[in-house]
Amino acid sequence: MRERHLMLLHYATGLGILVFGAIHVWVVFFTYPLQDTIWETTLQFDNLPFAVLPVYRNTLLALSLFGLLVCTTVHAINGLRVIIIELFGPRGITTLLTKVLIGLGAFLVIYGTRTILIANMIT
Amino acid sequence: MMGNVFEPPGLSEFVHKRKDGSAVLSSLIVMLNPSKYGLERWSYVLQRISGVVVSFYFIAHVLETGNFFGGITVWGPISYETAKQSYEAVKAFLKDPLFDAGLAVIGLLVAFHSFNGIRLILAHFGLALKRPSRPEPPYWPSSFSNLQRALFWLSIGLAVFALVYTLDSLMGVFRS
Protein backbone atom coordinates (compact mmCIF):
# COMPACT_ATOMS: atom_id res chain seq x y z
CA MET A 1 0.00 0.00 0.00
CA ARG A 2 1.39 3.40 -0.96
CA GLU A 3 2.00 6.10 1.63
CA ARG A 4 -0.78 8.35 0.30
CA HIS A 5 -3.26 5.50 0.65
CA LEU A 6 -2.01 4.79 4.17
CA MET A 7 -2.44 8.48 5.01
CA LEU A 8 -6.05 8.39 3.73
CA LEU A 9 -6.59 5.26 5.85
CA HIS A 10 -5.10 7.18 8.80
CA TYR A 11 -7.63 10.00 8.32
CA ALA A 12 -10.54 7.59 7.80
CA THR A 13 -9.72 5.62 10.95
CA GLY A 14 -9.26 8.91 12.85
CA LEU A 15 -12.79 9.99 11.88
CA GLY A 16 -14.01 6.48 12.73
CA ILE A 17 -12.51 6.84 16.21
CA LEU A 18 -14.40 10.11 16.67
CA VAL A 19 -17.74 8.42 15.82
CA PHE A 20 -17.22 5.09 17.63
CA GLY A 21 -15.35 6.79 20.50
CA ALA A 22 -18.24 9.22 21.02
CA ILE A 23 -20.68 6.25 21.19
CA HIS A 24 -18.32 4.42 23.60
CA VAL A 25 -17.85 7.35 25.98
CA TRP A 26 -21.54 8.21 25.84
CA VAL A 27 -22.90 4.76 26.65
CA VAL A 28 -20.27 3.83 29.24
CA PHE A 29 -20.24 7.06 31.21
CA PHE A 30 -23.56 8.80 30.61
CA THR A 31 -26.44 6.68 29.34
CA TYR A 32 -26.37 3.52 31.41
CA PRO A 33 -25.84 5.08 34.86
CA LEU A 34 -28.88 7.27 34.21
CA GLN A 35 -31.05 4.14 34.44
CA ASP A 36 -30.05 3.56 38.04
CA THR A 37 -29.12 6.99 39.29
CA ILE A 38 -31.90 9.20 38.06
CA TRP A 39 -30.80 12.59 36.68
CA GLU A 40 -27.22 12.16 37.86
CA THR A 41 -25.38 13.51 34.86
CA THR A 42 -21.84 13.10 36.15
CA LEU A 43 -19.76 9.95 35.98
CA GLN A 44 -21.31 7.43 38.33
CA PHE A 45 -19.73 4.37 36.76
CA ASP A 46 -17.72 3.37 39.82
CA ASN A 47 -20.71 3.56 42.12
CA LEU A 48 -22.62 0.88 40.24
CA PRO A 49 -21.88 -2.84 40.37
CA PHE A 50 -20.43 -3.86 37.03
CA ALA A 51 -22.36 -1.17 35.16
CA VAL A 52 -20.41 -1.55 31.93
CA LEU A 53 -21.60 -5.12 31.26
CA PRO A 54 -24.97 -4.30 29.62
CA VAL A 55 -23.07 -2.10 27.16
CA TYR A 56 -21.04 -5.07 25.96
CA ARG A 57 -24.06 -7.41 25.93
CA ASN A 58 -25.96 -5.27 23.45
CA THR A 59 -24.92 -6.61 20.01
CA LEU A 60 -25.02 -3.26 18.22
CA LEU A 61 -22.94 -1.56 20.91
CA ALA A 62 -20.54 -4.53 20.95
CA LEU A 63 -20.14 -4.12 17.16
CA SER A 64 -19.46 -0.39 17.58
CA LEU A 65 -16.88 -1.28 20.22
CA PHE A 66 -15.24 -3.66 17.73
CA GLY A 67 -15.21 -0.83 15.18
CA LEU A 68 -13.53 1.41 17.75
CA LEU A 69 -10.96 -1.30 18.53
CA VAL A 70 -10.02 -1.81 14.86
CA CYS A 71 -9.97 1.91 13.99
CA THR A 72 -7.86 2.81 17.05
CA THR A 73 -5.41 -0.04 16.48
CA VAL A 74 -4.86 0.84 12.80
CA HIS A 75 -4.61 4.57 13.61
CA ALA A 76 -2.18 4.07 16.51
CA ILE A 77 0.05 1.56 14.72
CA ASN A 78 0.22 3.66 11.55
CA GLY A 79 0.89 6.82 13.58
CA LEU A 80 3.77 5.17 15.43
CA ARG A 81 5.10 3.85 12.10
CA VAL A 82 5.09 7.38 10.62
CA ILE A 83 7.01 8.71 13.64
CA ILE A 84 9.57 5.90 13.30
CA ILE A 85 10.02 6.72 9.59
CA GLU A 86 10.50 10.39 10.49
CA LEU A 87 13.16 9.42 13.02
CA PHE A 88 15.09 6.70 11.21
CA GLY A 89 14.14 6.96 7.52
CA PRO A 90 12.29 4.25 5.58
CA ARG A 91 14.94 1.52 5.76
CA GLY A 92 17.06 -0.36 8.28
CA ILE A 93 15.61 -0.61 11.76
CA THR A 94 12.32 0.90 10.54
CA THR A 95 11.47 -2.33 8.68
CA LEU A 96 11.97 -4.40 11.83
CA LEU A 97 10.06 -1.96 14.05
CA THR A 98 7.18 -1.87 11.55
CA LYS A 99 6.90 -5.66 11.73
CA VAL A 100 6.90 -5.49 15.55
CA LEU A 101 4.14 -2.84 15.41
CA ILE A 102 2.02 -4.95 13.01
CA GLY A 103 2.40 -7.91 15.41
CA LEU A 104 1.37 -5.70 18.34
CA GLY A 105 -1.63 -4.45 16.37
CA ALA A 106 -2.74 -8.00 15.53
CA PHE A 107 -2.46 -8.97 19.21
CA LEU A 108 -4.50 -5.95 20.33
CA VAL A 109 -7.32 -6.69 17.85
CA ILE A 110 -7.41 -10.40 18.77
CA TYR A 111 -7.25 -9.79 22.53
CA GLY A 112 -9.74 -6.91 22.42
CA THR A 113 -12.16 -8.97 20.30
CA ARG A 114 -11.87 -11.79 22.83
CA THR A 115 -12.83 -9.35 25.62
CA ILE A 116 -15.85 -8.06 23.67
CA LEU A 117 -17.01 -11.61 22.83
CA ILE A 118 -16.62 -12.92 26.40
CA ALA A 119 -18.51 -9.94 27.80
CA ASN A 120 -21.20 -10.38 25.15
CA MET A 121 -21.67 -14.07 26.04
CA ILE A 122 -21.64 -13.83 29.85
CA THR A 123 -24.44 -15.91 31.36
CA MET B 1 16.88 5.91 -3.33
CA MET B 2 15.42 2.90 -5.06
CA GLY B 3 14.62 3.29 -8.78
CA ASN B 4 12.47 6.38 -9.36
CA VAL B 5 10.81 6.19 -5.96
CA PHE B 6 11.79 9.01 -3.62
CA GLU B 7 12.56 7.83 -0.12
CA PRO B 8 12.81 10.61 2.46
CA PRO B 9 15.78 10.38 4.80
CA GLY B 10 15.12 10.06 8.51
CA LEU B 11 15.98 12.80 10.98
CA SER B 12 18.87 10.72 12.28
CA GLU B 13 20.65 11.08 8.89
CA PHE B 14 20.76 14.85 9.34
CA VAL B 15 21.98 14.69 12.91
CA HIS B 16 25.69 14.57 13.68
CA LYS B 17 26.48 10.99 14.63
CA ARG B 18 28.38 11.02 17.88
CA LYS B 19 30.88 8.37 18.87
CA ASP B 20 28.75 7.21 21.79
CA GLY B 21 25.91 6.34 19.40
CA SER B 22 23.50 8.97 20.71
CA ALA B 23 22.31 9.98 17.20
CA VAL B 24 18.83 8.60 17.89
CA LEU B 25 18.53 10.66 21.05
CA SER B 26 19.80 13.72 19.18
CA SER B 27 17.26 13.24 16.38
CA LEU B 28 14.52 12.89 18.98
CA ILE B 29 15.62 16.17 20.55
CA VAL B 30 15.54 17.82 17.10
CA MET B 31 12.08 16.42 16.46
CA LEU B 32 10.63 17.41 19.81
CA ASN B 33 12.14 20.91 20.10
CA PRO B 34 9.68 23.45 18.66
CA SER B 35 11.50 26.55 19.93
CA LYS B 36 12.85 28.93 17.25
CA TYR B 37 10.04 27.75 14.95
CA GLY B 38 6.47 28.89 14.36
CA LEU B 39 3.14 27.80 15.77
CA GLU B 40 2.82 25.06 13.13
CA ARG B 41 5.91 23.33 14.56
CA TRP B 42 4.32 23.40 18.03
CA SER B 43 1.25 21.80 16.49
CA TYR B 44 3.45 19.12 14.87
CA VAL B 45 5.24 18.30 18.16
CA LEU B 46 2.08 18.31 20.28
CA GLN B 47 0.27 16.11 17.74
CA ARG B 48 3.06 13.51 17.94
CA ILE B 49 3.46 13.59 21.72
CA SER B 50 -0.31 13.32 22.27
CA GLY B 51 -0.54 10.52 19.68
CA VAL B 52 2.22 8.44 21.28
CA VAL B 53 0.92 8.88 24.85
CA VAL B 54 -2.68 8.06 23.83
CA SER B 55 -1.41 5.00 21.91
CA PHE B 56 0.25 3.69 25.07
CA TYR B 57 -2.97 4.42 27.02
CA PHE B 58 -4.94 2.47 24.38
CA ILE B 59 -2.66 -0.56 24.79
CA ALA B 60 -3.03 -0.35 28.59
CA HIS B 61 -6.82 0.05 28.26
CA VAL B 62 -7.17 -3.07 26.09
CA LEU B 63 -5.11 -5.07 28.62
CA GLU B 64 -7.02 -3.60 31.59
CA THR B 65 -10.49 -4.32 30.14
CA GLY B 66 -9.22 -7.82 29.29
CA ASN B 67 -8.49 -8.27 33.00
CA PHE B 68 -12.16 -7.51 33.76
CA PHE B 69 -12.87 -10.95 32.27
CA GLY B 70 -10.12 -13.07 33.77
CA GLY B 71 -7.04 -11.87 31.89
CA ILE B 72 -5.04 -13.41 29.08
CA THR B 73 -5.46 -16.99 30.30
CA VAL B 74 -9.24 -16.95 29.74
CA TRP B 75 -10.42 -17.43 26.13
CA GLY B 76 -13.93 -18.87 26.58
CA PRO B 77 -17.31 -17.89 28.08
CA ILE B 78 -17.30 -17.27 31.85
CA SER B 79 -20.06 -16.91 34.44
CA TYR B 80 -21.36 -13.59 35.72
CA GLU B 81 -19.98 -14.30 39.19
CA THR B 82 -16.45 -15.02 37.90
CA ALA B 83 -16.55 -11.86 35.79
CA LYS B 84 -17.77 -9.82 38.74
CA GLN B 85 -14.92 -11.09 40.92
CA SER B 86 -12.35 -10.13 38.25
CA TYR B 87 -14.05 -6.76 37.83
CA GLU B 88 -13.95 -6.03 41.57
CA ALA B 89 -10.24 -6.96 41.69
CA VAL B 90 -9.38 -4.61 38.79
CA LYS B 91 -11.57 -1.87 40.27
CA ALA B 92 -9.72 -2.14 43.59
CA PHE B 93 -6.40 -1.83 41.72
CA LEU B 94 -7.61 1.26 39.83
CA LYS B 95 -8.92 3.01 42.97
CA ASP B 96 -5.73 5.09 43.28
CA PRO B 97 -6.52 8.77 42.46
CA LEU B 98 -3.34 8.78 40.38
CA PHE B 99 -5.23 6.75 37.73
CA ASP B 100 -8.05 9.33 37.73
CA ALA B 101 -5.52 12.13 37.26
CA GLY B 102 -3.91 10.14 34.44
CA LEU B 103 -7.31 9.68 32.80
CA ALA B 104 -7.87 13.44 32.96
CA VAL B 105 -4.53 14.00 31.16
CA ILE B 106 -5.61 11.41 28.57
CA GLY B 107 -8.84 13.43 28.12
CA LEU B 108 -6.74 16.54 27.46
CA LEU B 109 -4.50 14.77 24.95
CA VAL B 110 -7.36 12.98 23.14
CA ALA B 111 -9.30 16.24 22.75
CA PHE B 112 -6.25 18.09 21.40
CA HIS B 113 -5.24 15.24 19.06
CA SER B 114 -8.80 14.93 17.70
CA PHE B 115 -9.46 18.57 16.93
CA ASN B 116 -5.95 19.32 15.70
CA GLY B 117 -6.26 16.16 13.58
CA ILE B 118 -9.41 17.55 11.95
CA ARG B 119 -7.46 20.75 11.20
CA LEU B 120 -4.69 18.66 9.60
CA ILE B 121 -7.21 16.73 7.46
CA LEU B 122 -8.65 20.05 6.24
CA ALA B 123 -5.12 21.28 5.42
CA HIS B 124 -4.27 18.02 3.63
CA PHE B 125 -7.19 18.49 1.25
CA GLY B 126 -6.37 22.17 0.68
CA LEU B 127 -9.25 23.52 2.76
CA ALA B 128 -8.97 26.59 5.03
CA LEU B 129 -5.58 27.53 3.52
CA LYS B 130 -4.25 30.83 2.17
CA ARG B 131 -3.12 31.23 -1.43
CA PRO B 132 0.51 30.15 -1.98
CA SER B 133 2.87 33.12 -1.95
CA ARG B 134 6.55 33.81 -2.66
CA PRO B 135 8.65 33.02 0.42
CA GLU B 136 9.85 36.27 1.94
CA PRO B 137 11.31 37.05 5.37
CA PRO B 138 10.28 36.25 8.06
CA TYR B 139 9.11 33.15 6.14
CA TRP B 140 5.81 32.52 7.89
CA PRO B 141 4.24 29.53 6.12
CA SER B 142 1.36 30.77 3.96
CA SER B 143 -0.41 27.47 4.53
CA PHE B 144 -0.99 28.39 8.18
CA SER B 145 -3.85 30.80 7.57
CA ASN B 146 -5.73 32.74 10.21
CA LEU B 147 -8.48 30.10 10.12
CA GLN B 148 -5.89 27.35 10.61
CA ARG B 149 -4.41 29.28 13.54
CA ALA B 150 -7.88 29.74 15.01
CA LEU B 151 -8.53 26.01 14.69
CA PHE B 152 -5.21 25.25 16.43
CA TRP B 153 -6.10 27.51 19.36
CA LEU B 154 -9.59 26.02 19.41
CA SER B 155 -7.95 22.59 19.80
CA ILE B 156 -5.96 23.90 22.77
CA GLY B 157 -9.09 25.45 24.31
CA LEU B 158 -11.19 22.31 23.91
CA ALA B 159 -8.35 20.20 25.32
CA VAL B 160 -8.19 22.37 28.44
CA PHE B 161 -11.99 22.14 28.75
CA ALA B 162 -11.76 18.33 28.48
CA LEU B 163 -9.11 18.31 31.23
CA VAL B 164 -11.20 20.47 33.56
CA TYR B 165 -14.40 18.50 32.86
CA THR B 166 -12.69 15.13 33.39
CA LEU B 167 -10.99 16.30 36.60
CA ASP B 168 -14.35 17.50 37.89
CA SER B 169 -16.20 14.34 36.83
CA LEU B 170 -13.69 11.82 38.17
CA MET B 171 -12.32 13.60 41.22
CA GLY B 172 -14.87 16.34 41.96
CA VAL B 173 -12.07 18.91 41.90
CA PHE B 174 -14.32 21.86 41.11
CA ARG B 175 -17.28 20.82 43.26
CA SER B 176 -17.99 22.16 46.71
Side-chain angles (χ1 to χ4, degrees):
Chain A
M1 200 180 258
R2 287 171 179 271
E3 283 300 323
R4 65 192 175 95
H5 294 139
L6 282 170
M7 216 54 221
L8 289 178
L9 182 67
H10 197 71
Y11 296 150
T13 51
L15 294 175
I17 292 168
L18 282 184
V19 174
F20 292 129
I23 295 172
H24 181 57
V25 170
W26 184 261
V27 295
V28 169
F29 289 118
F30 297 98
T31 310
Y32 181 72
L34 283 177
Q35 295 177 3
D36 277 40
T37 58
I38 299 168
W39 307 125
E40 278 287 341
T41 52
T42 50
L43 307 181
Q44 293 291 317
F45 173 67
D46 275 340
N47 295 336
L48 292 172
F50 216 5
V52 77
L53 194 59
V55 175
Y56 283 82
R57 291 179 76 174
N58 179 300
T59 306
L60 268 181
L61 291 178
L63 280 174
S64 81
L65 208 57
F66 178 72
L68 179 62
L69 174 73
V70 172
C71 284
T72 314
T73 304
V74 171
H75 194 81
I77 296 300
N78 190 54
L80 292 172
R81 186 189 66 86
V82 168
I83 292 173
I84 288 170
I85 290 176
E86 286 173 350
L87 277 173
F88 301 112
R91 293 185 170 279
I93 195 168
T94 300
T95 314
L96 173 69
L97 289 173
T98 303
K99 285 176 183 167
V100 172
L101 283 176
I102 291 171
L104 176 66
F107 167 75
L108 287 173
V109 169
I110 292 167
Y111 190 60
T113 307
R114 159 256 179 220
T115 303
I116 295 168
L117 284 176
I118 289 179
N120 191 245
M121 292 186 297
I122 275 182
T123 50
Chain B
M1 298 287 279
M2 190 181 74
N4 292 327
V5 181
F6 173 70
E7 288 185 351
L11 267 175
S12 57
E13 292 183 32
F14 289 109
V15 175
H16 174 66
K17 292 194 174 166
R18 297 172 190 167
K19 285 181 182 172
D20 61 359
S22 59
V24 173
L25 184 65
S26 306
S27 56
L28 252 181
I29 291 169
V30 171
M31 176 193 256
L32 298 179
N33 181 12
S35 59
K36 300 180 188 171
Y37 299 95
L39 201 59
E40 202 162 22
R41 181 60 178 252
W42 279 93
S43 152
Y44 166 87
V45 171
L46 290 174
Q47 188 73 0
R48 267 140 190 80
I49 291 174
S50 59
V52 169
V53 175
V54 173
S55 295
F56 283 119
Y57 164 75
F58 169 66
I59 294 168
H61 186 61
V62 170
L63 296 176
E64 166 222 350
T65 48
N67 284 342
F68 282 162
F69 303 102
I72 201 159
T73 53
V74 178
W75 287 84
I78 55 175
S79 68
Y80 181 85
E81 282 308 314
T82 314
K84 197 173 176 184
Q85 279 174 10
S86 303
Y87 171 78
E88 293 298 337
V90 176
K91 209 178 85 172
F93 173 71
L94 294 175
K95 213 167 176 58
D96 195 326
L98 204 63
F99 287 113
D100 288 337
L103 207 55
V105 173
I106 292 299
L108 168 97
L109 296 176
V110 166
F112 173 77
H113 195 86
S114 304
F115 291 105
N116 196 50
I118 290 171
R119 182 187 72 76
L120 289 171
I121 293 175
L122 292 176
H124 182 100
F125 291 105
L127 300 168
L129 299 179
K130 279 199 295 192
R131 284 179 181 278
S133 58
R134 197 171 70 178
E136 286 175 358
Y139 303 112
W140 299 120
S142 60
S143 60
F144 211 41
S145 63
N146 285 340
L147 183 54
Q148 285 278 322
R149 281 171 190 275
L151 289 172
F152 171 76
W153 286 113
L154 182 67
S155 310
I156 297 281
L158 289 169
V160 172
F161 173 75
L163 175 74
V164 170
Y165 184 79
T166 322
L167 274 176
D168 187 50
S169 298
L170 292 174
M171 305 172 82
V173 172
F174 301 102
R175 264 178 268 170
S176 55

